[in-house]
Amino acid sequence: METNETALQSQQQILEENEERVKKIRQETEQAKEGWEKVQIDKDKAQDSYKYYKTLKNRCGI
């Protein structure tokens, strides 16, 4: 019987460790997603600035 209890405890420990890993991975994924969204916003701003620059350049005849 003790072997079953030991196996059960071992499985419970593995389950808890896996749950912690999942939690950490989810947090890292959310952070990466937020970082990616910021990069996209910065990229869009840069593209808008470049379009504005080109418009001004064309208007000024440079």
Side-chain angles (χ1 to χ4, degrees):
M1 227 24 213
E2 190 166 321
T3 304
N4 287 344
E5 289 178 19
T6 304
L8 183 59
Q9 288 175 349
S10 177
Q11 289 176 347
Q12 184 65 31
Q13 182 179 358
I14 291 169
L15 178 61
E16 290 172 3
E17 290 171 359
N18 286 343
E19 288 172 347
E20 286 298 316
R21 285 188 199 128
V22 167
K23 186 176 180 181
K24 184 176 179 183
I25 289 169
R26 284 187 177 139
Q27 289 173 343
E28 290 172 351
T29 300
E30 187 61 31
Q31 290 172 345
K33 180 182 173 187
E34 290 171 1
W36 178 251
E37 289 170 351
K38 184 177 179 185
V39 166
Q40 292 299 330
I41 290 169
D42 290 347
K43 182 188 107 188
D44 292 343
K45 286 180 182 178
Q47 287 175 336
D48 290 345
S49 294
Y50 182 69
K51 288 177 187 175
Y52 181 70
Y53 163 77
K54 281 177 53 178
T55 301
L56 289 180
K57 182 178 169 187
N58 289 337
R59 286 184 186 169
C60 295
I62 300 174

